[in-house]
Amino acid sequence: MGGFECADHLNAFGNRVDLFQASGHDRYLEEDFDALVGLGIHTVREGIRWSHVEYQPYRYDWSEVEQMIQVAQAKNVHVIWDICHFGFPDDLTPLHPMFARRFSHLCREFVIKYRSLVPEGVLIVTPINEVSFLSWLGGDVRGTSPYCTGQGWEVKYALMKAYIEGIERMKEVHASIRIMITEPLISIVTHSPENIFSTLEAKKRHNEQFQVHDILCGAMCPELRGKPEYLDIIGVNYYYNNQWINETREILPWADEPAHPYFRSLHSLMETIFIRYGRPLIISETSHPGEDRAKWIQSIATACMAILKSGIPLLGCCFYPIVDRPDWDDLSDWHHSGIYDIFDTDALTRVPDVASIDAILNFKNQMETLEHGTAAAITAQQA
């Protein structure tokens, strides 16, 4: 799978960012899809950009979304849609009393619009991307709206209220809609495992990553009306800096050989979440900035093969972003984490990173070999 950057939030300086436009995806939409199809990728993550679509309360401009739907249909590309990637309209924050109502209405109108253009087929929606991260960013470290400290839980609670009401409104329109939650997959450990209090504190911080899942399935905060069926497909967003030491925030290195004694394999982390919830999984975001991009892809490919061979239902792996993006808080700083680089920030011409593309194609070949081997084994068993 591939994903295109669609963040449209207010950054740390209060400025609206629009990485859909900044990366030129609006300008190169068809070419971007053609490039993916050329790599054998037919599933992508896209976002509607709430701040752009709802130009006035309860009034919507779907023109760009319609174009994306039409191009995707023409190219035989399946889109998994983010309703809210990170941004909201200027007059809303998660703590606004009308936030959930406005969001749920948006969700309903999106499904009506989508089904008017694509009456049949599977529709997979992520209502709000990375609730855990967004509530920390806006509720604890003043990195985006509502620019709070010490309010992370309140922001998370409000976002999940909107999340669940959005699902309810969408399912009223079309009950078969699939929901893909996309949350960071992390590992937090203590540097003093012999100290029981340090160990318990690190475990508490580690387990907070599951609050969104538990609210969504109704195991936590049942007043928000979560249901087990709402925890449908579990997407995990996994990056090189997703494992750290609680006391120092020191990032555990991912490429060391032998591995750092506290570093957990992606296979191990995915196994834990599958045992906890028993739902199919997708690696919904993964990438690495700079020169280690191809090495990271190779590492992820190795982990995916191990996960699949263990029998865990891994449905996909999304390289995100496919096209390079600038930093939210410094639009002159390009991350070079995509499979396609951007060096000319006026023309926004896509420049393939050859090593990354080779790693993607090698991953695809490994998948095909595994698929053929599995099919042969099934045939032999039936015989």
Side-chain angles (χ1 to χ4, degrees), residues 342-363:
I342 292 176
F343 299 110
D344 184 337
T345 56
D346 293 321
L348 299 175
T349 307
R350 280 80 168 103
V351 178
D353 182 69
V354 175
S356 294
I357 289 176
D358 286 345
I360 292 280
L361 294 176
N362 185 56
F363 186 13

Side-chain angles (χ1 to χ4, degrees), residues 174-191:
H174 213 281
S176 67
I177 284 174
R178 304 292 303 272
I179 304 299
M180 185 174 84
I181 186 174
T182 55
E183 288 295 304
L185 180 62
I186 63 174
S187 177
I188 303 176
V189 297
T190 177
H191 62 20

Side-chain angles (χ1 to χ4, degrees), residues 49-163:
R49 295 179 297 149
W50 183 6
S51 68
H52 181 81
V53 166
E54 189 177 4
Y55 62 94
Q56 290 181 10
Y58 305 105
R59 299 187 68 180
Y60 310 102
D61 177 1
W62 297 108
S63 55
E64 284 196 336
V65 175
E66 288 178 352
Q67 181 188 15
M68 293 163 68
I69 294 170
Q70 290 162 354
V71 170
Q73 289 291 299
K75 307 286 185 184
N76 191 30
V77 171
H78 184 88
V79 178
I80 299 174
W81 294 94
D82 284 7
I83 304 298
C84 172
H85 192 80
F86 285 139
F88 341 111
D90 288 338
D91 63 325
L92 282 182
T93 83
L95 301 181
H96 192 288
M98 296 299 289
F99 183 86
R101 182 177 298 182
R102 288 267 294 276
F103 180 71
S104 64
H105 194 274
L106 172 76
C107 290
R108 179 180 182 275
E109 292 302 307
F110 167 74
V111 174
I112 291 172
K113 170 58 65 176
Y114 183 86
R115 283 304 184 199
S116 73
L117 298 172
V118 188
E120 304 295 334
V122 177
L123 173 57
I124 304 175
V125 173
T126 297
I128 303 175
N129 176 62
E130 288 195 328
V131 170
S132 298
F133 176 78
L134 184 55
S135 26
W136 169 80
L137 186 66
D140 283 322
V141 297
R142 294 181 292 190
T144 189
S145 174
Y147 298 103
C148 295
T149 58
Q151 299 291 308
W153 169 253
E154 286 75 11
V155 173
K156 183 181 291 184
Y157 190 91
L159 288 171
M160 290 310 298
K161 174 178 170 62
Y163 200 117

Side-chain angles (χ1 to χ4, degrees), residues 265-277:
S265 69
L266 177 56
H267 184 186
S268 168
L269 294 172
M270 296 284 278
E271 185 177 57
T272 297
I273 201 167
F274 179 66
I275 290 171
R276 185 179 177 107
Y277 296 110

Side-chain angles (χ1 to χ4, degrees), residues 241-254:
N241 53 358
N242 276 34
Q243 300 194 41
W244 64 87
I245 293 173
N246 186 47
E247 293 86 354
T248 63
R249 296 288 298 189
E250 175 190 352
I251 302 300
L252 298 179
W254 63 274

Side-chain angles (χ1 to χ4, degrees), residues 33-54:
F33 278 20
D34 285 338
L36 282 186
V37 171
L39 295 174
I41 296 175
H42 290 269
T43 303
V44 301
R45 287 188 65 194
E46 294 272 20
I48 71 167
R49 295 179 297 149
W50 183 6
S51 68
H52 181 81
V53 166
E54 189 177 4

Side-chain angles (χ1 to χ4, degrees), residues 1 238 254 265-267 270 283 285-288 292-310 314 316-319 339 355-370:
M1 299 166 52
Y238 185 71
W254 63 274
S265 69
L266 177 56
H267 184 186
M270 296 284 278
I283 299 173
E285 287 184 22
T286 193
S287 66
H288 194 289
D292 283 332
R293 276 179 285 185
K295 186 176 181 180
W296 177 261
I297 293 171
Q298 292 162 4
S299 172
I300 294 295
T302 300
C304 286
M305 299 301 290
I307 291 165
L308 288 167
K309 289 176 181 177
S310 74
L314 178 64
C317 178
C318 180
F319 296 98
I339 295 172
S356 294
I357 289 176
D358 286 345
I360 292 280
L361 294 176
N362 185 56
F363 186 13
K364 182 172 180 288
N365 290 336
Q366 292 179 62
M367 289 293 302
E368 291 172 351
T369 300
L370 178 63

